[in-house]
Amino acid sequence: MQVEHEKFELRTNGKGTYEITNEVQEKIDKSGVRKGVVTIFVQHTSCSLTMMENAAPAARRDLERFFEQLVPEDADYEQDDEGPDDMPSHIRTVLTRTSETVPIIDGKMQLGTWQGIFLFEHRREFHQRKVSVTMIGH
């Protein structure tokens, strides 16, 4: 059994979804793990990870609009230490996830035909996001 750990950074341009499927697969390829699992983890409290439709860009736009309605910035939040998008970004992270785990078979993530892994940025301004990738297997 081997355990490999890699990191990469992603610069976001504000709110939205950013596909990271290829970056994760590159880390698996580099690790040599052929059979096992990969866990992807984002080290922040104002962005998250999600697995979703990666073929139709409208699906991503619909998700982003849904979260704008579900957790609006103009609600009456007590905490606004870093601006009006601070608390809504934390709530959006709590409603989603900061990690995803995917099986690896024959060196490839076992994603469905239209599945992709996305970093979901919840802040308006650009950020440099740290993503941790851990592969366990052989």
Side-chain angles (χ1 to χ4, degrees):
M1 185 73 61
Q2 75 185 76
V3 178
E4 300 289 335
H5 182 75
E6 295 281 339
K7 290 184 178 183
F8 67 91
E9 292 190 9
L10 175 70
R11 181 183 167 92
T12 65
N13 295 315
K15 285 184 181 182
T17 52
Y18 299 82
E19 188 164 11
I20 61 170
T21 308
N22 291 338
E23 288 87 343
V24 173
Q25 185 60 55
E26 287 172 7
K27 300 301 181 192
I28 295 168
D29 295 343
K30 181 180 174 187
S31 77
V33 171
R34 304 287 299 152
K35 222 171 162 181
V37 295
V38 60
T39 298
I40 307 101
F41 176 73
V42 64
Q43 300 173 300
H44 303 279
T45 60
S46 56
C47 70
S48 55
L49 295 175
T50 188
M51 189 176 307
M52 68 170 294
E53 159 80 51
N54 71 348
R60 293 167 54 189
R61 291 190 300 270
D62 285 342
L63 176 70
E64 294 162 8
R65 277 194 301 271
F66 174 79
F67 267 85
E68 289 295 328
Q69 294 170 358
L70 184 64
V71 189
E73 286 186 17
D74 61 357
D76 188 24
Y77 301 111
E78 180 179 348
Q79 198 271 46
D80 65 353
D81 295 348
E82 295 180 33
D85 68 337
D86 190 26
M87 193 60 219
S89 70
H90 296 311
I91 293 170
R92 291 172 185 171
T93 298
V94 168
L95 293 173
T96 52
R97 298 173 292 287
T98 55
S99 67
E100 290 284 352
T101 300
V102 181
I104 301 169
I105 298 176
D106 296 328
K108 302 293 178 200
M109 285 186 286
Q110 295 302 291
L111 297 172
T113 302
W114 309 116
Q115 284 182 314
I117 301 168
F118 293 85
L119 184 136
F120 195 177
E121 177 62 69
H122 303 304
R123 300 296 304 266
R124 277 189 260 135
E125 300 297 323
F126 72 87
H127 284 82
Q128 193 75 17
R129 299 306 193 176
K130 296 176 184 173
V131 181
S132 175
V133 182
T134 303
M135 290 82 36
I136 302 172
H138 57 273

